[in-house]
Amino acid sequence: MSDVLQAVSAALVETVAAAEAGVVRVEGRRRLPSSGIVWSADGLIVTSNHALEREQDLSVGLAGDRRVAASLIGRDPATDLALLRAEAADLTALPWVEPDEAAVGALVLALGRPGHKVLATLGILSSVDAAWTTRAGGQIDHYLQTDAVMYPGFSGGPLVDGEQRVVGMNSSALVPGLGVAVPAPTVRRVVTALLSGRRVARGYLGVTAQAVPLPEALAQRLGQTHGLLLTHIEPRSPADQGRLVQGDTLVQLDGQPLRDLRDLQTVLGGEPGPAPVPLTLVRGGSLREATVTIGERAG
Amino acid sequence: MTNILQDLSREMSAAVQRARASLVRVSNDETGAGSGLIWSSEGLILTNAHVVHQRTPTVTLPDGRQLPASVRAHDPARDLALLAVKASGLPAMPLGDSEHLRPGTWVFAVGHPWGVANAVTAGVIIGGGADMPELTGSQREWLMVSLMLRPGNSGGPLVDAAGRMLGINTIMTGPAVGGAVPVHIVRQFLRAATLN
């Protein structure tokens, strides 16, 4: 008799059914709609930013073939999150898991609603790891990866665990080719920022830069082979006000090495403080110490 | 010492064995082979239309017998074909319900992917209907499954945890996503075939 297998199958179906009401369709692009997660019963919907091609004329498809208008509260491309308000006050918000409870190897279902019905794929949590920075400079509190198939239209939908809780919001855009989920702390932080009318703060220097190799002697002294050559300084930007000039090569900012643009994005990724931070640069072949007050840039 | 994973594995093997008992191979003289299943104990065999390339394909039964088959019905629109072989007392595949299937349901696909005999892959039902995102243009009903299908799986059965057939594995739309023709469409096809 196949008791366990049938019970597993029934439990998977039940898990989908339990989360179904909290999974919505987001109509915000010309081709296939994407998915969203009900964040609060009064109409807040979190979804994937990259699948939102327009900011007007949005609508949200709910369980039971209901469709309501929605407005955009804000978007944060760096974490691939967008926040909508659907014109409905009787929604079912899904419970979320804190990342420290998420375990590698756990069974998870990726859910989406690109059409009228909820769809599901099954996999496991492939990786639960430390905070990471997206290519666009977004700070994500934990790295969560699944092997569950990201079916067309699944971005913005939930990754759900066996206890019918959301492990994260699925995005197929943050790391191309991989199913990555954005965990609760990050969603909470971005939602709070977007709701307060702020866009998500991110440090801003006002430079265009490229990685260049350092002269060997300097490289040995600093313990890094590359620095960031400034090719453009925006007028009146924090870099300009800190008297940085085109041709400077930055090697450290706020105690962190700057070896490539990713390093710079990482340092600038957090919310900037008001105090000047130390900066090490190469000008005219010699090392100099300076300070710069990192500005704040939205989005 | 037994645990739930061992029970699960044992039951999965048992379900796969039951499904394999009704799995056949459909081959043409020259152009490739696919899968099929025993629809009736009196020798009716179901497969995809696109697997059948000639008037008398060869059917290899689970017991190893290779028999010439006649084509009773061939429906390219539904991508289904009904063959007949001269045999009786064959183990017909039990049928499941494809109209009330829910996402997350556990499924197996059995067949001969890349010619590997009686191979099985497992996954879940993604969803079903005529409005599946990547197949909206097809105007056909599909059961989409999150499992691996490869050439040679075509015509083979998609079965549930109890080994009942839910559909005929027909297409792959991604490395780990496939589509099956649901069993209720198979019934439509058979009704149409007997009326003609």
Side-chain angles (χ1 to χ4, degrees):
Chain A
M1 283 314 295
S2 59
D3 294 334
V4 181
L5 180 54
Q6 300 221 39
V8 167
S9 183
L12 292 171
V13 167
E14 193 183 304
T15 303
V16 178
E20 190 170 351
V23 184
V24 303
R25 179 174 70 256
V26 174
E27 297 174 7
R29 59 179 174 186
R30 258 168 305 166
R31 53 185 197 94
L32 183 68
S34 55
S35 300
I37 307 170
V38 176
W39 180 257
S40 68
D42 61 355
L44 290 181
I45 307 289
V46 293
T47 186
S48 170
N49 173 72
H50 81 272
L52 218 52
E53 287 175 355
R54 54 178 190 259
E55 301 195 341
Q56 308 286 323
D57 191 25
L58 304 172
S59 57
V60 162
L62 307 168
D65 269 351
R66 226 174 118 200
R67 186 163 173 263
V68 298
S71 53
L72 177 69
I73 294 174
R75 55 204 304 184
D76 181 38
T79 53
D80 197 22
L81 285 167
L83 185 64
L84 310 180
R85 182 171 297 281
E87 288 176 15
D90 56 346
L91 303 183
T92 308
L94 296 178
W96 286 65
V97 188
E98 294 309 312
D100 52 6
E101 288 181 64
V104 174
L107 279 177
V108 285
L109 287 149
L111 306 185
R113 192 191 286 276
H116 293 281
K117 292 173 289 188
V118 161
L119 306 177
T121 59
L122 176 68
I124 62 171
L125 264 183
S126 309
S127 174
V128 177
D129 214 331
W132 63 292
T133 306
T134 67
R135 290 181 310 165
Q139 293 292 311
I140 310 246
D141 297 68
H142 281 76
Y143 183 76
L144 301 176
Q145 187 192 314
T146 180
D147 66 351
V149 170
M150 290 298 138
Y151 192 66
F154 267 32
S155 272
L159 192 67
V160 173
D161 72 2
E163 292 173 59
Q164 305 167 0
R165 303 171 304 179
V166 181
V167 179
M169 186 204 79
N170 293 320
S171 169
S172 54
L174 285 174
V175 184
L178 290 179
V180 166
V182 182
T186 311
V187 177
R188 220 163 16 231
R189 183 160 48 78
V190 173
V191 165
T192 305
L194 295 176
L195 269 181
S196 69
R198 284 187 289 136
R199 292 198 276 167
V200 178
R202 204 153 277 118
Y204 165 62
L205 209 50
V207 298
T208 308
Q210 65 182 65
V212 291
L214 295 171
E216 195 158 339
L218 270 178
Q220 280 192 357
R221 190 166 147 200
L222 290 165
Q224 70 190 68
T225 58
H226 287 70
L228 282 181
L229 172 69
L230 302 185
T231 55
H232 177 71
I233 312 283
E234 288 175 33
R236 293 176 298 283
S237 66
D240 191 22
Q241 282 158 6
R243 297 169 195 274
L244 298 181
V245 296
Q246 195 177 337
D248 283 348
T249 300
L250 309 188
V251 291
Q252 271 187 16
L253 180 62
D254 202 11
Q256 302 299 312
L258 299 179
R259 295 154 299 194
D260 53 28
L261 290 171
R262 199 183 157 88
D263 283 343
L264 181 62
Q265 283 168 350
T266 303
V267 179
L268 296 178
E271 204 160 328
V277 297
L279 173 69
T280 308
L281 59 98
V282 184
R283 184 180 291 168
S286 56
L287 280 178
R288 293 179 183 222
E289 302 293 332
T291 60
V292 64
T293 305
I294 296 174
E296 192 174 296
R297 165 149 64 191
Chain B
M1 192 52 200
T2 171
N3 64 33
I4 195 166
L5 273 186
Q6 291 171 318
D7 289 341
L8 184 62
S9 297
R10 197 160 37 240
E11 291 171 15
M12 285 171 62
S13 313
V16 169
Q17 287 311 326
R18 280 196 295 280
R20 279 175 160 183
S22 307
L23 173 68
V24 306
R25 181 182 162 92
V26 178
S27 40
N28 303 285
D29 289 341
E30 284 168 4
T31 50
S35 304
L37 60 100
I38 299 170
W39 179 260
S40 81
S41 59
E42 303 309 303
L44 290 179
I45 305 293
L46 194 64
T47 185
N48 277 137
H50 78 259
V51 165
V52 178
H53 299 157
Q54 62 190 56
R55 297 166 77 95
T56 52
T58 301
V59 167
T60 308
L61 295 176
D63 61 16
R65 275 183 289 167
Q66 294 194 340
L67 302 174
S70 58
V71 180
R72 289 287 184 85
H74 191 268
D75 181 347
R78 293 191 181 91
D79 201 352
L80 293 171
L82 185 68
L83 312 178
V85 294
K86 287 203 172 96
S88 59
L90 301 179
M93 180 151 264
L95 303 182
D97 177 3
S98 56
E99 282 177 289
H100 303 99
L101 266 180
R102 300 173 66 188
T105 302
W106 189 273
V107 284
F108 298 103
V110 292
H112 317 294
W114 297 123
V116 176
N118 307 314
V120 61
T121 50
V124 295
I125 295 283
I126 296 174
D131 58 349
M132 298 308 291
E134 77 273 57
L135 293 164
T136 45
S138 79
Q139 306 289 316
R140 291 167 58 186
E141 273 192 63
W142 291 100
L143 276 181
M144 296 313 294
V145 285
S146 177
L147 50 64
M148 281 189 216
L149 296 179
R150 291 295 179 267
N153 269 121
S154 280
L158 181 76
V159 301
D160 67 10
R164 294 173 300 208
M165 185 184 87
L166 302 175
I168 302 287
N169 299 317
T170 301
I171 51 165
M172 49 182 283
T173 62
V177 177
V181 177
V183 72
H184 64 271
I185 300 295
V186 172
R187 288 204 176 92
Q188 282 179 12
F189 156 71
L190 292 172
R191 275 197 297 274
T194 50
L195 288 177
N196 287 338

